[in-house]
Structure formats: structure tokens, C-alpha cells
Amino acid sequence: SLKDQIASYDDGQHLQERTYESVFLDSVGLKSMKKIFSVLMENDGTTLIHCSQGKDRTGVILLLIELALGVSYEDCLNDYMVR
């Protein structure tokens, strides 16, 4: 069961890592990321990026954008971890 899979912090962390891998690193995820960054590179104005249910996909995308723009890893992580 899911409850058994996330019984400890380490197990929960492992489950989260596997989820992120499937969202961002499979062929569909990579294609989506490429499209997002292509749209950003082609846009010469403001771009609104939003989500409807949480911070995972949108948060990671924003974290990657901040890193690409030279924001420090520590500052990016602090932004991402704000609840």
C-alpha cells in the first residue's frame, strides 16, 4: 500500500524521487520541458507560469529557470521550499 511505501522519511524521499524522475525524465516529460523552455526563449515579454494543484511540476520548472538565470542554488531551494 502507499502508506507502507512512505512509512519512513527515507522511503517517502525515495518515492518522491521516483515520481520526479517519471514526470521530468521520461520521454513525455523531456518533450514537455523542451517545449516550456522553447516558449520562454521565443517570448519577448512577460510569461505567466501557474499550476492548479501544487508545487511539484511548476515549482521544479521555476527552480530550473531561476538556476538558468544565475540564481544561487541555495536561494532557489529556499524559494521552492516555501510553503
Side-chain angles (χ1 to χ4, degrees):
S1 75
L2 181 59
K3 184 177 178 180
D4 293 334
Q5 289 179 20
I6 57 175
S8 72
Y9 175 79
D10 289 337
D11 289 342
Q13 186 71 21
H14 182 68
L15 179 62
Q16 185 177 19
E17 289 169 3
R18 285 194 329 236
T19 301
Y20 280 174
E21 287 173 4
S22 68
V23 169
F24 295 107
L25 300 179
D26 67 5
S27 61
V28 174
L30 289 173
K31 186 176 180 180
S32 297
M33 294 296 286
K34 182 177 178 181
K35 178 67 176 173
I36 290 165
F37 278 90
S38 292
V39 167
L40 291 172
M41 295 293 289
E42 293 169 3
N43 189 348
D44 61 356
T46 302
T47 302
L48 173 65
I49 300 174
H50 63 89
C51 63
S52 61
Q53 294 193 359
K55 68 179 181 182
D56 293 326
R57 287 172 291 189
T58 305
V60 170
I61 290 165
L62 293 172
L63 178 123
L64 293 172
I65 292 168
E66 286 183 336
L67 288 171
L69 293 172
V71 177
S72 74
Y73 179 78
E74 183 178 311
D75 287 341
C76 291
L77 190 57
N78 286 333
D79 286 347
Y80 181 77
M81 296 308 291
V82 171
R83 292 194 162 95

